[in-house]
Each structure stands twice: as C-alpha cells, then as structure tokens.
Amino acid sequence: MEYEVVVGLETHAELSTITKLFCGCSTKFGAEPNSQVCPVCLGMPGVLPVMNKKAFESAMKVALALNCTINKFTNFDRKSYYYPDLPKNYQISQNYYNLGVDGYMNIDVNGTIKKVRIHNVHLEEEAGKLIHPEEVGANYSLVDFNRAGVPLLEIVSQPDMRSTDEVESYMQTLRKILLYTEVSDCKMQEGSLRFEASISLREKGTEKLGNRVEIKNLNSMKSVIKGMEYEAKRQAELLDRGETIARETRLWDEVNERSERMRSKEEAQDYRYFPEPDLLPVLIDEKWMSEIKSTIPELPFDRRQRFMEVFKLSDYDASCLTEEKVLADFFEYCLSISDRPKAFCNWIINDLLREAKDRKLDIYNLPIKPKQLAALVETIERGIISSTIAKEVFSEMILTGKDPQKIIEEKKLVQINDEGFIESVIDKMIASNPNVVEDYKKGKKNALAFLIGQVMKETKGKANPKLVNELLVKKVGG
Amino acid sequence: MSLLQSTAYQIKNKIISREIKSVDLVSSLFTRIKHVENNIQAFIVTDEKKAIHDAIEIDKRIERGEEVGLLAGIPVAVKDNICTKSLPTTCASKILQNFIPPYDAFIVRRLKEEDAIIIGKTNLDEFAMGSSTENSGFKITRNPWNLECVPGGSSGGSASAVAADVAYMALGSDTGGSIRQPAALCGIVGVKPTYGRVSRYGLVAFGSSLDQIGPLTKDVRDAALLMQVIAGYDSCDSTSVKVPVPDYMEGIESDVKGLRIGIPKEYFATGLKSDVHTVIKDALKVYKRLGVEIIDISLPHTEYAVAVYYIVANAEASSNLARYDGVRYGYRSNNAQGVIDMYSKTRAEGFGNEVKRRIMLGNYALSSGYYDAYYLKASRVRTLIKNDFDAAFEKVDCIMSPTSPVPAFKIGERANNPLEMYLSDIYTIPANLAGIPGISIPCGFSKEHLPIGLQILAKHFEEKKLLQIAYAFERETDFHLKKPPLNVSSLQGA
C-alpha cells in the first residue's frame, strides 16, 4: 500500500536572555556545574518566581513573527512530573492560555511555497541536566542546575508536513526566524534548539489521521530526518502486516540509527496542570503588542523574495544572502552606497563569506566594511582596475583594512587605457612571437589568447583587457 | 505587672529610654522559657546565644545614641515555616529536619532591619496543615490556659508562646485561619492581612493563593506595631501589591460611632457552641454601647467555603510539596533502590499522615478528567464567595463573627476525625478565599475559662480600620489583660 507520512514538530528554543526566567542567575552556557544557581532556581522552600520581562517579550516577538493570535490574557500553569533535574518537580509552563495561538509559517519546498500552521507558541522554564558517572557500577547520578530556569520557548506546529523536504525546510526556516529576531542563538550542539517529531501514516488519498508516535532525543536536524525516515518505514511495515500503530513515545538512538519505545500512551504522565498561583496573569494591550511588533525585522523568507524581485537575484544568490541576517544587512548597506546588486552579491557570497569562514569571524568583524567594498566595486565598474587586479586589491584590503583607492594608488594598479601605449606593447609582442601570429592567421583561435596573456603579463595585468583584445585583433587579423 | 507580661509597645519605650536593657529582658525571657517550655512546648528551636548577642549590640547602639529600628531590642518568635538563614526551618516536618535555608524570608529581613531580637522558631502543624498543632512531626504544643487543650493551629507555637509570655510578639501564617484561630484559642490578638499586603517570599508555601504572614500579639497596639514592620511591597513576590502602607498606630484610638457592623446569619447556624455564641453577643453589646449600628447580612455561599478551601488549598499544596524529594536538601531515605524508590520512601518516611492525606486529595482534584469538576469549579465558587463579601461591604464597614465555633478542645479529641477538625476553620476560611483581612481579638471566656475570640473582617487593604475597630473594644474591656494560670512554681516538674 502507498502511504502518506504526516508530521508535526515541537520545537524548543532557549532564549538568549542574560538572566534566567524567574531569577537573576546567569544563563551563560558551559560554566562550572551548579555555579549559576540561587534559592529560586534550585526550588528551595519558600521561594517565589518573578517573570523576566525580556524573556516574555522575546516570546511574544516570536509568536508575532509566526503570525499567531496573541492571547490578550495569558497565564502560566504548573506542569507536574517528578524528575531529579526538575527542582520543584513541576515546570512553570503554559497550558490553558498560551501566549500565541493559531499562527503559520511559510516555507519553501524546492521552489514551492507551503504554509505550515502553528498550533501555539508558549514560554516555560528549562530543566537542569543529569550527569551519569562513567565509572562502572556507579550507583548515583549528579545534577547540574545551571540550566534550570533558563527561559525556553516552545513552538508547536500542526501536523502539516508530508515529506522530509518539508520538515527540513520547516526546521531551517524556523531557525532563521529565531536568529533574525535575535531571541535565541539556536546552537543545537549546546541544546539551545531542539526538535521533537510526531509522525503518523495514512493511506494516500485518505483524510483520517493515523495513530501518531512521538520521537524524542533528536539532537540534530539530521537526526530529525533520519528518525522520521526510520519511523515512517517502521510504521509502513507494521501497517502492511495488518498491525495497528500503538500511540507511544519513542527515543531516537543516534548511534544505532533506530528508535526504541520509551512509554505507551497509557503510561503517559498526567501533568495535573493548574494555574501558577505565584505569578499574575499577563494582560497584553495593543500598545505593547505593536511595540514588540515594531522590533521584528523583515524575516528571511520575505527578504529573500524581495531580493529576487527587486534586485533580480537568482534564488540561489538570494537564499545565500538571507541565510544570515548580518549578511543580508551587509548587502543592503553596500546597496545604499551604490546600486550594483549583482556585483555586491558575488563579492559577498564568494569572497567575504569565504574570508569570514576561514577566520571564523562575523562578516562585520572583517577589516573590510561595506563602504570599502562599495568603493572597490565602483573602481571596477568605472574601469579603473580590472577584475583580476580587483582580486589583488581585495586580498590587500583583507590584510590591512586599507581603502581600495589607497592600495591602487600605492601599488600603481590603475588600469592602462592608453591606446598608444598598449599598441606599442602589442607591437613588441607581435615582433617577438612571429610563429604565434602565423598560427593565428592560419585559424588557430587560441593563439590570440596567448598573445593577450603576453601583453597582460608585460603590463603587470594593468592593461585594460577589453582594449588589448580589440587592438590585437585589429593588428593581427587585419 | 512584670516586665515579661508587658506588651512590646510598653517595653519598646523603656528600652529606647534606657530604663531597661534589652539584654536583661532577653535573659529573663529565656529563664522563663526554661521554666514553662517543658509544659507548653511552643518552640522547635531557640537561639539564646544569638539573641543575647543581638540584644547586647542593640543596647550598645542605644547607649551611643544611634537611631534604632521600630522593634529595637524586642524579643520576637517566628513560626517555623518562615525561612531564617541562621536557624533551621523545618515546617515541623521530618522531611525538613535540620534544614537551614540559605536565605532570610522578606519579613525576617524586615524584623532584622527594625532591630527585633529573633529568639526562636515556633511549632506548627506540619507544613501548616491543621488546626491544633497536633500534626507537628516533633511535638505537641499545649494551650497555656489548659495544658490538656490544644493551642489551635497551625500557628499554635506562636500563639502559645505569646499567651505564655515567652515571646512579646510572634509571626504566624494564615492559610485558612492559622493565625486567627490559635490567637482566639490562646486569648491573644491575631491578624491575617490582605492577600498581597505582606510578602510571602520565604514563607514555605502551603496554599499559595491563600497564604499570608501576620502578627500574633498581646494586644491590638502591638499588632499594629508588627504590621507596620512586615507590610509592604516586595519585588520578589509577584503577588505582593504596591499599595502604600499607612501608619497603623496613628489614629488607632479613633471612635467607632456610627460604624456599620454586619452580622452574617450563616455564621451563627449549627455547630456554634452556645457559650461562644453568648460571649459574642456580649461583645456586640460593647460595640452597641459605643454607638455602632448592627446590621444582619447574608453571605449566601458560606456553606461551600470549607469544600472550596480543601480543594484549592490541597491542590496547591500537592504541587508545593512536590519539591521535597530528597534530591537537593532535607531528608532522604537511606534504604532506597533507584530514583523512583528514593522518591517514594523519602516521602513516605518524611511526611506525616495529615500531609499525605492532603497531597493525595490535592493530586486527585488536579488529575486529568477531574480538574474541571473539582479545581475549576472550586475556583468559580471561590469567586462567588468573594462576590458575597463585596456585596456585603456595600452595606457595612466590617463583619463580625466568632473566630472559632468552639474554644480550645482537648488534645486528641479531634485528632482522628479530620472532617471535624476541618470544621474548626469554618469562620476563618472565607476571608482567605476572598483575600480580605481579618483580626481575632480576645472577647471573653467559656464556662471552662477558655478564651474566646471575636473575628472582625474588612475590605481589602483595610487593616488600619480593622485595628481601630478592634482597639475600640480592647479599650472598653480587659480580656486581653487576663493571663493564663501558668504558675511557674506549680508547673515545674509537672
């Protein structure tokens, strides 16, 4: 039988606020275990939470960026379960009045635009981390509470995805939005961005959703795709054998690339949600909402579309430039100086990006500033230097941070457009290479390229290549 | 009257004027504690050394003419569910035995800022769950008026200590009557402030939407003095409210003429002991003499208050007490295998029966499929109860009733009947559900010569008015001056 895979994703993103959600402890990653804790985030008797306004606003920003309806009355709830990394044995989360509901996000799936609906966006607190000792036979575990209480955003999609391509695009698009809105650093290796997938199959062409299985412990986007493929195959095999799919939660085993049952639906926890009495409900008015809305930059999807339409860039170029906000900003900064989109695009994607990667620097931390790149492009476009010389100037700029004009001046790199001078060099080359000239006349076209090369070499690359070509053809071809 | 029998307000001026030294007061207080503590068992822990040290410091500062705080040199006791950095905070539970918090509660900081001498931590029903202090995991506190009787609860230790003159003032917490009821049963003054008036930061949570810290004192003026210190906004408690704190002492003598007092008919129905009823009627006569208007009112949803309370409070408690799991602090069972076993054994061995009962009730009320029928419905009825009060306060300035339907009962008398015990708080619970302030003042004695308390309730943030109304009664009567027959010599070795 042919099946359609139906996928929904739950995304957890740690918000990059300076302090935790309910106390003043630092959220910095990688500190000595239990060095960023206080009575509040340790769940000591008698402590009370106080909401981090910045975290709340970041959550609202994402909810708005994902086109959610903001609940004017939003509240926090206690989600109860016992686990040693959860200090209070309840997590302050949202259940009854989520911050944002009924949103959507557009994704691009191989050139086709698809709308994925967002069920809700809500804010909660992160748990600590269990450390299991490596020694054999150890009968204890350790807990690091540094992470406990870090603000965590949960974004729940509707089961709207139907393929790995769609899931891949959803994850990438969402990641970019979180980066563009500057709410999370989205470092998957540090766990600040995590995905959980709900997967079900149904017979192609039917409407009714199958029993869904949740997959946890997907530590990278790659494992989301692998876990999803594995699960779709597993379910298809079961269905083909006439079996039913058990509603359950499975754990992805990254090493062996397979999943194992963690718990069935019957074993699912009863979280006993109830409104958190230690926090007041948050009332959101239009003014606050529009203030937050005004801080949302143009999002990557829209920006890419605009780059394609307005600057006539290719899909590939526009995607590259909008991959990171800083890159697109750099590009537009250059454009504000001179209107040469394609040239800037090439320099940024091919040269600047490579340099930034080599040096592990942000593009803004390279010695070349938009103003200087614009000047370089301008000298090429005006024929002051050739594009070959431009590469040399660029290398010097990267090293010294000097303005291109200055480098061109110092190194005397200005393009030679003096026809008389170029002709004299051509004459010299023709004279010393009579055989090549003969070859050309006999119809060997690449002989001309050799002669051009000789002229360029003689002028240290400064001769205007177009002019050299023209004059040479006139001389030898006449 | 001996110094130990004086009020805080009376000795405060003597200390500041250097007529007496705080250190002498503290010494003689500890001598008395040694004499009576065996009988009343009010304290879980005392800290004589620190108290003496602090008293000497205050005396020095006064001698140097330095400015000192509102409670300079006054010995104060603190209920043992309020966090103190230097002293264990156990909530009278084995699960927190020897637990010393790494921080001071907001109000403990306030006490220290105002130069009070914290003498020790008082006994309570485990995690403040109870009305008799019999549910303490460590000891049973006795009523100084009759050592065979309970002091009420859950702030029984604080009430007993003040009544027995081993603390000038004490702090308690009130979730459903835990300040007012023991104050009534011990013949002292107890105030439950408006929800949000006093920071809960550092009060070990029982029912978070109901808990308030408040004073237990020898008279109304002392209650005003202690309220002055503890009331106020705290940015660490999101439910504390930014309402300016009035001067509670100023104008406390104000006249009550023309005041409209509401008498809710539902509070004088079945279950009210006849001599309590008689004493309350007599108290109302005193007010009538002062020119008040007595108005019959109805609080129609009163009959649901106890049920609503035990759903809301226990639901919140079941969640608040989830953190006592043996992972980070407090008691951990030694004979557990694996983490789940550690949780169950730690909690099975650490909590007492009443606490377990409430955790189970609370979890049940919150569990999937029951939430709407219990917690949600209870929350809605809670709103109706609050509306009853709002409507009543349109017609009257305050509401008066007995604080407790009965005077102090015998130890063990109700211990095996939780339902009957729960009904001890029938008159006090509605104020917690509505968040309004209440006070209990001594207003007479039962046939067995046990104290009876008059409860006065007012609108949100009207503590000042409550204190004025209460003071008017106190000025006309001498019940607050009566001392329990705690004859030290006859008690020794008892």
Side-chain angles (χ1 to χ4, degrees):
Chain A
M1 204 184 288
E2 213 183 328
Y3 301 106
E4 181 178 50
V5 61
V6 177
V7 184
L9 287 182
E10 270 182 29
T11 309
H12 283 99
E14 283 180 4
L15 298 177
S16 44
T17 48
I18 296 160
T19 56
K20 292 185 180 179
L21 187 52
F22 300 123
C23 64
C25 290
S26 167
T27 58
K28 212 162 169 253
F29 180 81
E32 180 83 4
N34 297 313
S35 63
Q36 289 166 184
V37 294
C38 72
V40 174
C41 57
L42 285 175
M44 287 283 179
V47 298
L48 297 169
V50 178
M51 179 64 63
N52 179 335
K53 191 178 180 196
K54 174 84 184 153
F56 188 87
E57 291 184 335
S58 294
M60 196 184 346
K61 194 170 168 183
V62 174
L64 287 165
L66 296 176
N67 308 296
C68 287
T69 304
I70 300 293
N71 263 323
K72 299 280 157 64
F73 173 101
T74 183
N75 206 356
F76 288 81
D77 300 295
R78 292 184 181 179
K79 177 181 180 178
S80 295
Y81 63 93
Y82 278 81
Y83 206 68
D85 67 4
L86 191 64
K88 301 182 290 293
N89 286 318
Y90 61 80
Q91 178 193 31
I92 302 178
S93 179
Q94 299 192 283
N95 181 58
Y96 296 111
Y97 297 94
N98 287 308
L99 177 53
V101 293
D102 299 334
Y104 68 87
M105 181 173 78
N106 283 327
I107 61 171
D108 183 321
V109 190
N110 307 318
T112 310
I113 293 165
K114 171 164 181 152
K115 187 184 261 190
V116 176
R117 291 168 303 150
I118 304 294
H119 182 272
N120 78 75
V121 172
H122 68 262
L123 183 58
E124 59 190 24
E125 58 180 334
E126 179 74 285
K129 209 171 179 171
L130 283 188
I131 300 163
H132 302 289
E134 283 169 19
E135 66 196 77
V136 185
N139 64 345
Y140 65 94
S141 291
L142 300 167
V143 203
D144 177 5
F145 289 106
N146 280 351
R147 207 179 67 172
V150 166
L152 193 62
L153 191 64
E154 183 169 335
I155 300 149
V156 184
S157 88
Q158 294 280 12
D160 283 355
M161 287 160 275
R162 301 285 177 269
S163 68
T164 47
D165 282 356
E166 291 184 8
V167 169
E168 175 78 39
S169 178
Y170 176 88
M171 292 190 292
Q172 293 290 359
T173 311
L174 183 56
R175 180 176 170 275
K176 273 192 251 176
I177 289 177
L178 295 173
L179 288 171
Y180 262 64
T181 47
E182 294 170 324
V183 299
S184 173
D185 61 18
C186 293
K187 289 184 182 160
M188 288 199 77
Q189 67 281 9
E190 292 180 7
S192 60
L193 181 65
R194 311 192 290 268
F195 297 98
E196 286 170 22
S198 296
I199 299 161
S200 66
L201 293 191
R202 65 181 169 198
E203 202 180 320
K204 218 160 199 166
T206 62
E207 281 296 306
K208 196 172 170 282
L209 290 170
N211 279 347
R212 73 189 152 95
V213 170
E214 278 176 53
I215 315 286
K216 285 183 186 280
N217 201 36
L218 299 165
N219 293 325
S220 64
M221 293 194 189
K222 219 158 95 189
S223 39
V224 173
I225 299 299
K226 281 192 174 161
M228 175 186 160
E229 283 169 342
Y230 176 91
E231 183 57 23
K233 193 162 160 266
R234 192 186 70 86
Q235 290 188 19
E237 283 169 9
L238 285 171
L239 291 172
D240 281 342
R241 288 206 297 270
E243 293 178 36
T244 48
I245 307 297
R247 280 196 63 177
E248 60 187 9
T249 303
R250 300 180 69 86
L251 274 186
W252 179 245
D253 174 350
E254 199 160 324
V255 180
N256 298 306
E257 298 199 346
R258 56 194 213 89
S259 66
E260 268 171 56
R261 204 182 99 174
M262 184 179 141
R263 58 168 181 254
S264 71
K265 194 201 163 212
E266 288 69 36
E267 293 165 292
Q269 314 230 21
D270 180 355
Y271 292 123
R272 302 189 302 278
Y273 281 107
F274 80 102
E276 166 57 273
D278 290 332
L279 289 170
L280 302 177
V282 184
L283 305 177
I284 301 167
D285 58 13
E286 286 296 332
K287 187 169 161 277
W288 192 14
M289 209 158 77
S290 56
E291 265 171 38
I292 299 302
K293 211 166 195 166
S294 70
T295 65
I296 300 174
E298 187 183 18
L299 294 173
F301 185 89
D302 300 328
R303 206 168 191 185
R304 193 193 64 149
Q305 297 297 104
R306 179 166 63 87
F307 281 12
M308 286 163 67
E309 279 160 29
V310 178
F311 306 127
K312 310 289 175 227
L313 297 180
S314 69
D315 186 349
Y316 174 82
D317 284 349
S319 297
C320 284
L321 282 178
T322 53
E323 181 66 30
E324 282 180 64
K325 183 168 177 286
V326 282
L327 224 55
D329 288 349
F330 195 101
F331 173 70
E332 296 215 59
Y333 196 160
C334 293
L335 282 180
S336 70
I337 303 166
S338 79
D339 184 28
R340 308 213 184 263
K342 184 62 193 162
F344 288 128
C345 173
N346 289 342
W347 278 103
I348 291 170
I349 293 175
N350 299 326
D351 302 282
L352 275 182
L353 211 52
R354 185 195 62 236
E355 293 293 339
K357 273 195 185 124
D358 286 353
R359 286 150 209 257
K360 293 193 169 74
L361 283 176
D362 192 303
I363 190 167
Y364 274 100
N365 293 324
L366 288 172
I368 298 183
K369 306 295 163 210
K371 213 170 145 186
Q372 293 171 307
L373 184 66
L376 179 64
V377 166
E378 216 38 44
T379 56
I380 305 164
E381 298 290 336
R382 287 200 199 140
I384 296 169
I385 56 170
S386 67
S387 47
T388 319
I389 291 293
K391 295 284 175 191
E392 197 184 322
V393 175
F394 179 83
S395 303
E396 186 71 14
M397 288 164 77
I398 276 285
L399 286 175
T400 61
K402 284 184 188 167
D403 286 342
Q405 297 91 326
K406 198 160 180 219
I407 295 169
I408 293 165
E409 212 172 281
E410 279 174 8
K411 300 204 150 188
K412 303 198 170 48
L413 295 174
V414 175
Q415 185 159 279
I416 301 165
N417 291 313
D418 179 342
E419 290 190 19
F421 177 75
I422 293 175
E423 269 181 55
S424 71
V425 179
I426 289 174
D427 290 344
K428 211 166 123 192
M429 288 304 115
I430 288 175
S432 50
N433 294 289
N435 302 342
V436 182
V437 178
E438 273 313 298
D439 285 352
Y440 177 74
K441 284 180 175 168
K442 279 180 195 156
K444 236 179 151 182
K445 290 287 169 213
N446 54 0
L448 190 70
F450 175 79
L451 289 172
I452 293 172
Q454 290 304 106
V455 174
M456 292 310 287
K457 200 173 164 192
E458 185 67 17
T459 58
K460 289 182 178 123
K462 289 187 284 183
N464 182 335
K466 219 171 126 201
L467 217 50
V468 172
N469 191 50
E470 277 172 29
L471 293 170
L472 198 57
V473 169
K474 215 186 280 171
K475 290 239 173 200
V476 296
Chain B
M1 194 163 48
S2 86
L3 269 184
L4 289 177
Q5 292 186 326
S6 309
T7 67
Y9 184 77
Q10 288 161 345
I11 59 154
K12 170 183 150 76
N13 295 326
K14 288 188 174 134
I15 292 172
I16 290 172
S17 64
R18 290 162 64 190
E19 191 182 318
I20 54 168
K21 282 187 167 176
S22 173
V23 64
D24 296 336
L25 202 65
V26 171
S27 302
S28 50
L29 189 87
F30 272 95
T31 307
R32 180 165 168 82
I33 288 176
K34 274 162 209 145
H35 284 138
V36 302
E37 180 60 8
N38 269 344
N39 297 292
I40 61 165
Q41 306 274 308
F43 288 94
I44 288 180
V45 65
T46 53
D47 192 352
E48 182 170 5
K49 222 173 125 189
K50 177 80 166 54
I52 294 282
H53 171 268
D54 289 350
I56 290 171
E57 287 305 307
I58 299 288
D59 287 335
K60 276 190 202 154
R61 284 173 49 204
I62 292 171
E63 208 160 323
R64 284 199 296 267
E66 286 175 29
E67 206 166 302
V68 287
L70 274 176
L71 300 178
I74 298 174
V76 179
V78 176
K79 188 178 181 180
D80 204 28
N81 60 348
I82 298 173
C83 287
T84 43
K85 211 171 169 175
S86 53
L87 285 168
T89 299
T90 69
C91 299
S93 179
K94 288 200 178 76
I95 214 155
L96 283 177
Q97 194 159 17
N98 305 321
F99 172 73
I100 301 180
Y103 73 103
D104 274 332
F106 174 84
I107 59 109
V108 170
R109 257 188 2 245
R110 286 291 302 128
L111 287 182
K112 289 180 177 174
E113 280 164 13
E114 297 297 343
D115 298 318
I117 310 286
I118 296 174
I119 53 169
K121 305 293 289 289
T122 56
N123 196 22
L124 62 151
D125 288 297
E126 186 177 1
F127 283 102
M129 295 176 179
S131 312
S132 68
T133 315
E134 291 166 287
N135 296 333
S136 166
F138 304 135
K139 51 171 74 171
I140 292 178
T141 299
R142 287 154 195 275
N143 191 318
W145 290 88
N146 181 340
L147 295 176
E148 285 170 16
C149 287
V150 301
S154 66
S155 309
S158 286
S160 180
V162 172
D165 293 322
V166 288
Y168 281 90
M169 27 177 53
L171 285 165
S173 67
D174 191 316
T175 307
S178 280
I179 289 173
R180 289 159 289 160
Q181 186 256 17
L185 269 49
C186 289
I188 61 167
V189 174
V191 181
K192 183 208 88 84
T194 307
Y195 186 78
R197 176 77 288 180
V198 178
S199 168
R200 292 183 294 120
Y201 190 76
L203 168 65
V204 180
F206 160 18
S208 310
S209 72
L210 304 154
D211 296 339
Q212 268 294 289
I213 292 172
L216 291 109
T217 55
K218 296 180 184 184
D219 69 4
V220 174
R221 196 187 283 273
D222 276 8
L225 177 62
L226 193 46
M227 272 303 293
Q228 202 70 53
V229 171
I230 63 173
Y233 174 71
D234 173 16
S235 62
C236 289
D237 176 359
S238 309
T239 63
S240 94
V241 185
K242 272 184 190 162
V243 171
V245 178
D247 184 339
Y248 293 117
M249 310 284 274
E250 181 265 285
I252 198 163
E253 311 85 357
S254 298
D255 186 340
V256 292
K257 198 162 182 232
L259 190 86
R260 298 163 304 165
I261 296 175
I263 306 298
K265 63 170 192 247
E266 293 81 3
Y267 284 47
F268 293 84
T270 50
L272 178 59
K273 206 161 174 279
S274 68
D275 46 354
V276 175
H277 197 170
T278 310
V279 165
I280 297 295
K281 276 196 267 186
D282 289 346
L284 291 177
K285 279 181 201 150
V286 174
Y287 275 107
K288 268 189 206 148
R289 262 205 329 267
L290 294 172
V292 303
E293 190 186 344
I294 305 280
I295 299 168
D296 288 329
I297 59 163
S298 170
L299 299 168
H301 297 93
T302 299
E303 61 170 311
Y304 305 111
V306 174
V308 166
Y309 173 80
Y310 278 96
I311 289 169
V312 172
N314 291 349
E316 291 175 359
S318 70
S319 156
N320 285 329
L321 270 61
R323 71 190 63 193
Y324 308 107
D325 56 7
V327 173
R328 286 144 296 130
Y329 49 75
Y331 176 75
R332 179 193 290 181
S333 175
N334 278 325
N335 44 25
Q337 301 288 323
V339 67
I340 303 291
D341 198 36
M342 179 181 91
Y343 286 154
S344 0
K345 290 214 168 89
T346 295
R347 291 168 67 81
E349 293 160 20
F351 287 136
N353 284 341
E354 181 60 25
V355 171
K356 286 179 194 164
R357 179 169 19 246
R358 297 198 191 198
I359 290 173
M360 284 190 280
L361 286 169
N363 278 331
Y364 181 78
L366 290 176
S367 55
S368 164
Y370 297 97
Y371 175 81
D372 288 5
Y374 293 109
Y375 188 84
L376 202 62
K377 183 163 267 180
S379 303
R380 288 184 181 142
V381 179
R382 184 176 180 178
T383 306
L384 296 178
I385 289 167
K386 189 175 169 290
N387 293 347
D388 280 357
F389 281 109
D390 289 346
F393 288 126
E394 297 273 307
K395 287 179 249 159
V396 297
D397 301 298
C398 71
I399 293 170
M400 287 189 191
S401 77
T403 305
S404 163
V406 291
F409 42 92
K410 290 266 167 61
I411 290 167
E413 191 182 308
R414 295 185 167 201
N416 296 317
N417 190 341
L419 261 187
E420 201 182 339
M421 188 73 95
Y422 293 175
L423 291 173
S424 307
D425 295 330
I426 190 162
Y427 302 140
T428 47
I429 279 171
N432 298 78
L433 291 171
I436 57 170
I439 189 170
S440 177
I441 53 171
C443 69
F445 290 89
S446 70
K447 285 191 222 99
E448 300 81 18
H449 202 64
L450 288 166
I452 288 167
L454 171 71
Q455 175 176 249
I456 315 169
L457 304 174
K459 271 194 257 189
H460 292 93
F461 297 102
E462 288 197 339
E463 286 83 358
K464 189 177 163 94
K465 190 198 260 178
L466 272 187
L467 291 162
Q468 286 169 352
I469 299 168
Y471 188 78
F473 181 83
E474 196 174 87
R475 206 167 32 177
E476 298 295 314
T477 57
D478 62 356
F479 302 114
H480 63 290
L481 297 175
K482 297 274 190 273
K483 291 292 172 186
L486 254 190
N487 183 321
V488 172
S489 59
S490 76
L491 281 173
Q492 278 169 341

